[in-house]
Amino acid sequence: MKKYILDLEVVQNIRLHANYVLIKMTHAEPLPEMVPGQFAEIRIDGSPTTFLRRPISINYVDKSKNEVWFLVQLVGDGTRKLAMVEPGELVNVVLPLGNGYTLPQNPGAIKPLLVGGGVGTAPMLMLGSELSKMGCKPTFLLGARSSKDLLQLEDFQSLGEVYVTTEDGSMGEQGYVTQHSVLSAQRFDRIYTCGPKPMMMAVTKYAKANDIECEVSLENTMACGVGACLCCVENTDEGHLCVCKDGPVFNIKKLLWQI
Amino acid sequence: MADLSVNIGNLKLSNPVMTASGTFGYGKEFEDFVDLEKIGGIIVKGTTLHRREGNPYPRMAETPMGMLNAVGLQNKGVDYFISEIYPQIKDIRTNMIVNVSGSAIEDYVQTAEKINALDAIPAIELNISCPNVKQGGMAFGVTAKGASEVVKAVREVYKKTLIVKLSPNVTDITEIARAVEGAGADSVSLINTLLGMAIDAEKRRPVLSTITGGMSGAAVKPIALRMVWQVSKAVNIPVVGLGGIMNWKDAVEFLLAGATAVQIGTANFIDPTITVKVAEGIDDYLNRHGFTSVKDIIGGLIV
């Protein structure tokens, strides 16, 4: 897919929680085609300690409003600076980058589970929406530290069944996503996941044990975002591949994770 | 519009802006963003005789106004380059230059010999300065004797323009530059990355899998500029300047310091169109100052 550098205009910047913002951006021209699982490299201006762009996954594309949404977790100086953008400001964005999740060939016959942890729930919203449009009803399993860390719950609930785990038990079942009872109560044909690596490894273990097709989205530290610098590599059955260009979504069969 | 063309040995560049090896892939990675033919030269990813997987992840650490990398020359080897990549890039109408690396003199020689046979590759950049490979690479580049030996050996088999990329991780870079000139290099490019290190205090561990890595980006520019100035006074062959160039003004500074051409590296990650913007900015600068050719400002520092 053709990649663009665009100065996008901030439409809204919503503080969802002390550590998360949802930034909605638009452009005078129609936004490029984007698929679930792809990401953008966002330039951060005015933060002296931030040299490189920040890779941020595409949370949602609202075609009717020509908007792209980014769910940003405030991790360091760069994301904190980004979180301060105001409506009307322009933000320099390179997108769409990487490959998205593999959508089912036979959507009506597939029962997918979308597992997101922390800010890793971000791409699951667009993915759930696309699946839903195809006639493939998504089930979401979302994990967080506590109820206040569960973001965009209403948006997820409008698309399909939502199951929740929290580490402190403040919402849903207490524990990690892979301990949720829905995993033993129901059978899924495909798993899509994004979140902290230990969570994705646990999901991968479950998928392998139950012989379920599974794709994970990785977020290795990256610089260029286009497969030029070879910094963000992951060990795969083909050797080192770039998460930015060959991923960020990988089928678990390609990965050499010791599980 | 001023005349932006410069020559490096027999190599003719339409403008003095090139891309630094390892930061621009094989060019194709950036074709959505920039007209590749408007770049004076594209130096592609470091190529070795045999396939290399490079170093384990993590390979990158962001630093204030810069970054460290420890990629370690990941590439699929020269034969793969010739059969799979060369056909895709040979018709790009600019100078496509291959960065050649190795860990033994014989590797450099064999790789250079194979690339010598490729019509659409008018030059190589010999990398004797990679800080991220255990044996060789930088080992050749840190002594005058080592640098001279590898350049002499390659010069015997490589007939086109031979640029040698120098390491800044030495006591006196002019000594190495003179040795390389004496061994038959047509040009020297500098600087490669500076050896650096990053630590994660919370984890009490190094950030990079290799502990140390090569530093690049805006933060290294003053060092690079100083070395380019010193080397251009010490040798008679053209100097290609690189290290922390983020905009046209940085590039002009390198030209004034004595560089005949410049390379842009890490800045490509922040602005994928920076190469063309720098070429345009140099042109504006020349027009504004009444120069008709970029050659008029090379080494034009008033001291």
Side-chain angles (χ1 to χ4, degrees):
Chain A
M1 288 170 83
K2 188 171 157 63
K3 301 182 270 287
Y4 297 83
I5 309 178
L6 301 172
D7 283 319
L8 299 184
E9 185 188 339
V10 176
V11 178
Q12 253 187 313
N13 180 357
I14 308 161
R15 182 68 66 138
L16 297 179
H17 168 290
N19 289 327
Y20 298 95
V21 293
L22 174 63
I23 305 174
K24 300 182 179 182
M25 301 186 196
T26 190
H27 195 246
E29 304 287 316
L31 288 166
E33 281 298 311
M34 293 172 250
V35 298
Q38 287 186 305
F39 68 100
E41 281 261 46
I42 302 184
R43 199 179 74 204
I44 312 287
D45 296 330
S47 168
T49 51
T50 307
F51 185 63
L52 299 167
R53 287 173 181 264
R54 290 293 177 268
I56 307 283
S57 65
I58 293 163
N59 176 221
Y60 187 68
V61 174
D62 185 337
K63 281 203 173 152
S64 65
K65 291 183 177 167
N66 197 38
E67 282 179 4
V68 56
W69 298 5
F70 298 103
L71 184 63
V72 180
Q73 183 180 15
L74 281 62
V75 179
D77 293 347
T79 44
R80 273 175 226 287
K81 182 72 191 173
L82 177 59
M84 287 162 67
V85 292
E86 288 178 12
E89 273 185 62
L90 296 181
V91 179
N92 189 267
V93 178
V94 181
L95 85 184
L97 298 173
N99 303 303
Y101 290 99
T102 311
L103 297 173
Q105 298 288 334
N106 47 345
I110 291 285
K111 187 175 172 188
L113 178 68
L114 283 63
V115 186
V119 76
T121 57
M124 294 303 150
L125 187 62
M126 184 173 176
L127 177 61
S129 165
E130 289 300 314
L131 288 169
S132 187
K133 276 183 216 159
M134 296 171 78
C136 180
K137 199 169 166 50
T139 302
F140 299 96
L141 175 55
L142 309 176
R145 280 211 190 99
S146 73
S147 60
K148 64 180 169 51
D149 299 302
L150 284 158
L151 310 166
Q152 301 177 302
L153 263 189
E154 285 175 14
D155 293 316
F156 285 111
Q157 279 158 349
S158 73
L159 295 169
E161 286 289 326
V162 179
Y163 298 91
V164 165
T165 60
T166 52
E167 288 173 39
D168 66 359
S170 54
M171 190 185 276
E173 294 184 14
Q174 184 165 10
Y176 295 115
V177 285
T178 41
Q179 297 166 326
H180 198 284
S181 58
V182 71
L183 293 178
S184 47
Q186 296 186 35
R187 166 79 201 182
F188 297 96
D189 308 302
R190 189 169 295 199
I191 297 176
Y192 301 104
T193 184
C194 181
K197 196 163 178 182
M199 183 205 88
M200 290 196 292
M201 290 178 90
V203 170
T204 298
K205 192 175 175 182
Y206 169 83
K208 281 191 171 168
N210 293 278
D211 197 22
I212 302 171
E213 279 288 312
C214 178
E215 287 183 333
V216 301
S217 177
L218 306 184
E219 52 166 14
N220 294 7
T221 320
M222 61 180 67
C224 73
V226 296
C229 70
L230 313 185
C231 287
C232 63
V233 291
E234 181 70 24
N235 229 347
T236 71
D237 59 358
E238 292 177 65
H240 278 143
L241 291 180
C242 287
V243 167
C244 68
K245 188 188 180 193
D246 305 306
V249 175
F250 289 96
N251 190 300
I252 57 170
K253 288 176 195 152
K254 287 202 78 63
L255 302 176
L256 305 182
W257 289 355
Q258 301 300 315
I259 299 173
Chain B
M1 180 162 176
D3 175 14
L4 292 182
S5 67
V6 293
N7 295 338
I8 304 282
N10 291 326
L11 189 68
K12 292 186 192 322
L13 307 178
S14 61
N15 68 62
V17 180
M18 299 194 261
T19 63
S21 177
T23 66
F24 210 68
Y26 294 97
K28 304 290 277 182
E29 290 84 346
F30 286 78
E31 67 185 354
D32 284 350
F33 306 120
V34 71
D35 181 353
L36 299 175
E37 297 176 359
K38 288 188 176 166
I39 302 172
I42 294 174
I43 304 189
V44 306
K45 178 71 194 156
T47 302
T48 51
L49 185 59
H50 303 294
R51 178 189 171 106
R52 290 181 56 95
E53 276 304 309
N55 294 317
Y57 177 85
R59 294 174 167 187
M60 196 279 283
E62 189 180 34
T63 58
M65 297 310 283
M67 60 177 274
L68 292 161
N69 89 79
V71 172
L73 297 174
Q74 177 180 326
N75 78 101
K76 292 184 176 171
V78 67
D79 291 335
Y80 180 90
F81 172 81
I82 291 169
S83 64
E84 304 299 322
I85 296 167
Y86 178 68
Q88 295 181 52
I89 64 170
K90 70 180 175 54
D91 295 325
I92 299 173
R93 284 181 306 158
T94 183
N95 294 298
M96 300 301 291
I97 298 166
V98 179
N99 178 286
V100 171
S101 213
S103 44
I105 288 182
E106 195 45 37
D107 296 355
Y108 281 100
V109 169
Q110 283 187 40
T111 309
E113 210 167 6
K114 285 174 188 247
I115 292 172
N116 192 57
L118 305 176
D119 289 339
I121 307 292
I124 59 171
E125 180 182 61
L126 206 63
N127 179 5
I128 58 167
S129 47
C130 177
N132 291 323
V133 179
K134 268 186 192 138
Q135 345 144 288
M138 195 166 90
F140 291 104
V142 294
T143 67
K145 186 169 172 284
S148 175
E149 278 173 11
V150 66
V151 174
K152 256 186 204 150
V154 170
R155 181 75 286 179
E156 278 181 28
V157 300
Y158 191 73
K159 305 303 175 197
K160 301 180 214 170
T161 302
L162 174 59
I163 305 168
V164 180
K165 190 169 187 178
L166 304 182
S167 172
N169 303 305
V170 294
T171 310
D172 180 3
I173 195 167
T174 62
E175 187 196 343
I176 314 287
R178 277 192 298 265
V180 161
E181 180 181 31
D186 296 307
S187 168
V188 284
S189 57
L190 61 138
I191 58 173
N192 205 323
T193 54
L194 285 148
L195 202 56
M197 181 170 174
I199 292 176
D200 183 332
E202 294 300 322
K203 294 180 185 159
R204 303 194 301 280
R205 288 176 188 278
V207 177
L208 301 173
S209 67
T210 47
I211 304 176
T212 61
M215 184 176 168
S216 64
V220 311
K221 192 191 80 173
I223 302 168
L225 205 51
R226 181 265 293 178
M227 289 188 167
V228 165
W229 181 64
Q230 290 178 320
V231 168
S232 57
K233 288 196 300 181
V235 297
N236 294 311
I237 50 177
V239 172
V240 179
L242 71 149
I245 297 178
M246 301 300 293
N247 51 50
W248 67 265
K249 206 170 161 198
D250 294 337
V252 166
E253 290 170 20
F254 276 82
L255 297 171
L256 290 169
T260 299
V262 296
Q263 292 177 15
I264 297 181
T266 310
N268 289 303
F269 305 160
I270 294 135
D271 182 355
T273 67
I274 190 66
T275 41
V276 171
K277 284 182 187 160
V278 167
E280 289 167 357
I282 293 170
D283 186 34
D284 283 348
Y285 173 87
L286 295 171
N287 294 333
R288 203 151 44 78
H289 287 266
F291 294 111
T292 53
S293 164
V294 69
K295 296 181 190 85
D296 297 340
I297 66 163
I298 293 168
L301 184 70
I302 302 164
V303 285

